[in-house]
């Protein structure tokens, strides 16, 4: 496993303090984010999952705790749209340049608007996918929001 990805390069280039945490990725896991939290021995509220969505047909990214479900109504509202839906996995991979299970909001092939769940900002440190299956970056949520120019809003139901 490479510890250098477009995500880690983007964080390093931006001067964001982070550290890397590798774990054994289980492609058969029912909920990949929960599996990552368990493998890392972390509270699922601190291990965030990256979801590629479409707001009124336009790509966007939502970052939420791995134990929660995205509210499409709240996601649409956060981005100032009327409707939201999950992006098809093949479209997400093509847009981001990452494989499903390894999609990071950092260093995506194409920059899209990002929103982070407001409750995640209460954590001292969070884990976010590092751009590869089985690799997480740990960093301050305010640093993640800043480098992503993310909207911070309630996104979960």
């Amino acid at each position: 496993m490479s510890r250098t990805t477009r995500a880690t390069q983007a964080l390093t280039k931006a001067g964001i303090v982070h550290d890397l945490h590798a774990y054994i990725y289980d492609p058969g896991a029912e909920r990949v984010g929960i599996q990552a939290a368990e493998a890392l021995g972390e509270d699922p509220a601190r291990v965030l999952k990256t979801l590629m969505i479409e707001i009124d047909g336009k790509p966007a990214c939502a970052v939420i705790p791995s134990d929660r479900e995205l509210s499409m109504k709240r996601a649409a509202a956060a981005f100032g749209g009327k409707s939201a839906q999950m992006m098809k996995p093949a479209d997400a991979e093509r847009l981001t340049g990452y494989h499903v299970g390894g999609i990071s909001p950092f260093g995506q092939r194409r920059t899209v608007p990002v929103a982070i769940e407001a409750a995640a900002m209460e954590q001292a440190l969070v884990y976010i996918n590092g751009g590869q299956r089985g690799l997480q970056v740990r960093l301050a949520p305010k640093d993640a929001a800043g480098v992503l120019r993310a909207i911070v809003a309630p996104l979960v139901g």
Side-chain angles (χ1 to χ4, degrees), residues 36-120:
E38 289 171 355
L40 292 166
E42 284 292 338
D43 179 344
R46 291 183 61 199
V47 180
L48 308 182
K49 59 186 174 183
T50 304
L51 303 173
M52 296 307 296
I53 59 177
E54 293 178 351
I55 306 295
D56 299 336
K58 294 182 179 155
C61 179
V63 181
I64 65 171
S66 60
D67 61 344
R68 302 297 305 272
E69 294 296 321
L70 179 66
S71 162
M72 292 302 171
K73 184 176 181 179
R74 287 184 171 192
F79 289 103
K82 293 181 181 178
S83 68
Q85 66 182 25
M86 291 301 297
M87 187 178 290
K88 292 177 184 168
D91 293 341
E93 288 183 344
R94 191 170 33 261
L95 179 79
T96 65
Y98 295 123
H99 294 293
V100 170
I103 293 178
S104 177
F106 310 110
Q108 291 187 3
R109 186 177 287 154
R110 180 173 155 207
T111 302
V112 300
V114 178
I116 296 178
E117 166 58 38

Side-chain angles (χ1 to χ4, degrees), residues 97-151:
Y98 295 123
H99 294 293
V100 170
I103 293 178
S104 177
F106 310 110
Q108 291 187 3
R109 186 177 287 154
R110 180 173 155 207
T111 302
V112 300
V114 178
I116 296 178
E117 166 58 38
M121 303 309 284
E122 298 169 10
Q123 303 290 334
L125 295 169
V126 295
Y127 293 79
I128 299 176
N129 195 288
Q132 188 174 58
R133 294 172 179 159
L135 183 66
Q136 297 279 318
V137 292
R138 186 176 66 176
L139 71 167
K142 66 176 180 53
D143 289 343
V147 74
L148 293 167
R149 295 185 179 111
I151 298 163

